Amino acid sequence: MFETDRLKLRQMDENDEDNLMRIFSDPIAMQYYPSTKTKEQAQSWIKWNLKNYENNDVGLWICELKENGAYVGQCGIVPQIVNEQQEMEVGYLFVREFWGRGLATEAARASRDFGFTKLGLPRLISMIYKPNLPSIKVAERIGMTFEKETLIKNRETLIYSICK
């Protein structure tokens, strides 16, 4: 797909289940999600992304270190419905051992730029569970600002946005 200074972002495939489970089975990495995920849910996640690639030319991409190919997380653009309106979200979720290195910000910035320049999207959002301060900081670092608070799946969710 594309690269940043330190990362290679590529499409997810059926062989990424074990990579995803490094995040999905970690209760600390998943603390802002309703729960951890099973291997079956990881397979569904992969299928959802494959469908997004096919239908929308977007999805979450696997993030690997360029220096050694190590899996560090996932980041990309996914379609979402917010208050009955279609939006395109920059989402990111990284392996805990790689937190605090700026990798999520680097990948999110590259995803933002891809959305604006390659896809011609006029606007992008991030949907962040209210207590998730690290994700708020990533959104702010890539130029997003707080837009509103809303309920999504009965959870207080902050919407951050940026326009081209």
Side-chain angles (χ1 to χ4, degrees), residues 35-163:
S35 67
T36 56
K37 294 186 183 296
T38 64
K39 287 187 174 218
E40 292 77 22
Q41 289 169 316
Q43 277 299 319
S44 294
W45 187 267
I46 291 168
K47 288 181 176 113
W48 174 66
N49 277 287
L50 295 177
K51 187 184 286 187
N52 279 326
Y53 301 150
E54 185 178 324
N55 296 337
N56 303 298
D57 295 322
V58 296
L60 293 170
W61 300 298
I62 296 295
C63 300
E64 299 168 329
L65 292 177
K66 281 170 44 175
E67 67 178 310
N68 60 13
Y71 171 78
V72 296
Q74 56 185 319
C75 183
I77 301 170
V78 292
Q80 299 283 8
I81 301 295
V82 178
N83 299 333
E84 300 176 17
Q85 182 175 341
Q86 172 86 28
E87 297 276 10
M88 295 302 261
E89 179 195 21
V90 175
Y92 33 89
L93 191 55
F94 279 71
V95 176
R96 186 164 32 120
E97 114 188 39
F98 294 99
W99 289 1
R101 301 183 191 184
L103 295 171
T105 299
E106 188 172 321
R109 186 175 291 121
S111 297
R112 176 204 65 196
D113 293 348
F114 182 88
F116 286 154
T117 60
K118 302 285 190 219
L119 301 175
L121 298 172
R123 165 185 159 87
L124 291 163
I125 67 160
S126 278
M127 299 166 35
I128 304 168
Y129 180 45
K130 192 172 182 177
N132 190 344
L133 296 178
S135 281
I136 291 169
K137 289 181 180 178
V138 170
E140 290 174 343
R141 283 189 209 108
I142 68 165
M144 290 186 169
T145 55
F146 174 76
E147 182 177 308
K148 64 184 172 185
E149 185 175 329
T150 190
L151 280 179
I152 297 178
K153 297 180 183 175
N154 291 322
R155 290 167 38 112
E156 294 176 322
T157 302
L158 305 177
I159 305 299
Y160 276 71
S161 65
I162 187 171
C163 293

Side-chain angles (χ1 to χ4, degrees), residues 1-4 7-17 19-20 46 49-50 53 59-65 69-76:
M1 287 291 306
F2 56 94
E3 295 183 352
T4 68
L7 298 171
K8 181 176 113 178
L9 284 77
R10 64 164 176 83
Q11 286 191 351
M12 193 176 293
D13 64 42
E14 297 286 341
N15 298 317
D16 283 308
E17 179 184 309
N19 286 332
L20 294 172
I46 291 168
N49 277 287
L50 295 177
Y53 301 150
L60 293 170
W61 300 298
I62 296 295
C63 300
E64 299 168 329
L65 292 177
Y71 171 78
V72 296
Q74 56 185 319
C75 183

